[in-house]
Each structure stands twice: as structure tokens, then as C-alpha cells.
Amino acid sequence: MHFGIDYGSKLAGTTVICFEKNEQLHLLQSEKKKDADAFIKQQIDTLKPDHIFIDAPLSLPAAYFHPEKSTEPNCFFRQCDKELRAMSPMFLGGLTARAIKLRHNYLNASTLFLETYPSFLVKTLFPDVLVYKKKKAKIPDFLTLLTPVLPIKLAETPTNWHQVDSILAWLSGHRFFTKKALEIGDAKEGIIIV
């Protein structure tokens, strides 16, 4: 079993986990004003996934670890961020720190954390799509594209874009296991699975 997680602000109620159970995809969303990291830990400890594909940076630019190897170190972007035109882990600051800490809590466990980027998966699968993350009312339109590419059915219909992104994170994990995923970046610095 693996999780797809759309990782949000700690107390915003926007963190969503997608996972497979009984041949259906299920969604669990954190509650507003409750600790999203505690919510994730509880679900990991209960459901015991082998892999977690999370939409959050899990590493920092190499400049912070090997500044001597570059004449002009990039202190803002990792190679994977540059290739995907993703936000800097430094700009995301607290979210990055929380994600790295969450992964650190499971270093001695059998759960492996991998970084993913749902927006780029959408660009990969549906390069001409214009409805992704536009308005909540466009979710059904986007689902008409997404549902046929999912290997299993949704147990419930997503009601917000955070839930959709958790499904996309889960799908990146499925692509990883079926050897269809793109692995972008430098393994010594950070890889994003799409």
C-alpha cells in the first residue's frame, strides 16, 4: 500500500491522504485548526503504508551541503526544481521543514517517503488541459479526464482541489511501481517522481 499526500499548512485543514483499500481509492482530509502532521502520523501508524508520495520538498539545494563543489552555488533551487519550474524549497520554508521532519520520524521504519509534484503530472498526462485548479466548479470536468487513467475506481468524488492533488500524488506512486514514472533531478540532491 502507498499513500499520495497533498501536504498543506499545518492547521488549515488542507492536507489530504489518498490510499487504496478494497480496490478503491479513499480520501482522508485533515481538520481545520488540527495538526496535519499528527493526522498524517496517525494514518501512517494505523494503515502502515510502505511508500508515501508527498507533494512537498523533502530536501534542500546541494549548496547547503557541498558549497565547495560549486563556484556559484544555487542556494534557492535544486536541479529538480529548475527542470520542473517548481517553487524553491527555501520559499516554501516552514512547509519544507515540516515535510523533512515528518520523513525523518520514519527513517528507521519501513515507510519510504518520495517527493512528487501533481501539477507536473497534469502537464505530462494532459498537456492541453485548462480546467486544472481553476475553480471548484471545474473539478467534475477535470475528473472526466483523470478517471479513465486511474487503475482503480474512486470510492468517493473529490470535493476540492486538495483531494484531487492527493489522487494525483497517489497516481505518481502507481506510475513509479509500474515503471512509467519520470524521475527528475539529481539523486544526490533530490528526485521528484511524476
Side-chain angles (χ1 to χ4, degrees):
M1 174 200 282
H2 70 276
F3 281 1
I5 298 180
D6 184 44
Y7 197 52
S9 298
K10 194 167 189 172
L11 301 174
T14 56
T15 294
V16 183
I17 298 171
C18 177
F19 65 98
E20 179 185 355
K21 182 178 179 185
N22 299 327
E23 297 182 23
Q24 290 185 314
L25 289 180
H26 296 267
L27 303 170
L28 297 172
Q29 185 159 347
S30 63
E31 293 180 46
K32 198 169 187 173
K33 297 184 181 177
K34 292 200 176 175
D35 186 332
D37 298 338
F39 161 74
I40 291 171
K41 287 178 194 173
Q42 179 186 9
Q43 299 308 322
I44 291 172
D45 295 344
T46 301
L47 297 171
K48 303 190 183 327
D50 297 319
H51 291 74
I52 293 176
F53 294 84
I54 188 168
D55 180 18
L58 292 173
S59 62
L60 299 177
Y64 293 99
F65 306 101
H66 307 289
E68 71 286 350
K69 291 187 177 181
S70 176
T71 55
E72 198 173 317
N74 192 325
C75 296
F76 295 98
F77 295 97
R78 303 166 297 168
Q79 184 62 38
C80 56
D81 304 317
K82 289 188 279 186
E83 289 182 43
L84 298 181
R85 298 179 186 256
M87 278 195 261
S88 163
M90 307 312 288
F91 176 78
L92 294 169
L95 185 131
T96 299
R98 286 176 41 231
I100 291 171
K101 182 180 178 185
L102 184 63
R103 179 187 65 180
H104 182 78
N105 289 335
Y106 290 92
L107 286 178
N108 295 324
S110 60
T111 305
L112 180 64
F113 279 71
L114 298 157
E115 187 176 338
T116 189
Y117 190 27
S119 295
F120 198 81
L121 179 59
V122 170
K123 289 177 188 173
T124 302
L125 296 176
F126 316 112
D128 300 321
V129 73
L130 300 175
V131 297
Y132 176 65
K133 284 193 173 178
K134 295 297 177 190
K135 292 182 180 177
K136 197 174 184 179
K138 294 292 184 183
I139 291 173
D141 294 339
F142 182 73
L143 289 175
T144 62
L145 297 171
L146 180 60
T147 304
V149 302
L150 292 175
I152 55 176
K153 294 182 179 183
L154 296 169
E156 63 254 33
T157 302
T159 58
N160 61 56
W161 287 108
H162 301 290
Q163 293 177 359
V164 172
D165 275 355
S166 73
I167 295 165
L168 290 165
W170 182 91
L171 182 57
S172 289
H174 177 76
R175 287 167 51 89
F176 177 79
F177 294 120
T178 57
K179 307 215 181 306
K180 295 177 184 172
L182 304 172
E183 295 186 26
I184 296 139
D186 179 348
K188 294 177 185 171
E189 183 182 46
I191 296 285
I192 294 179
I193 307 293
V194 176

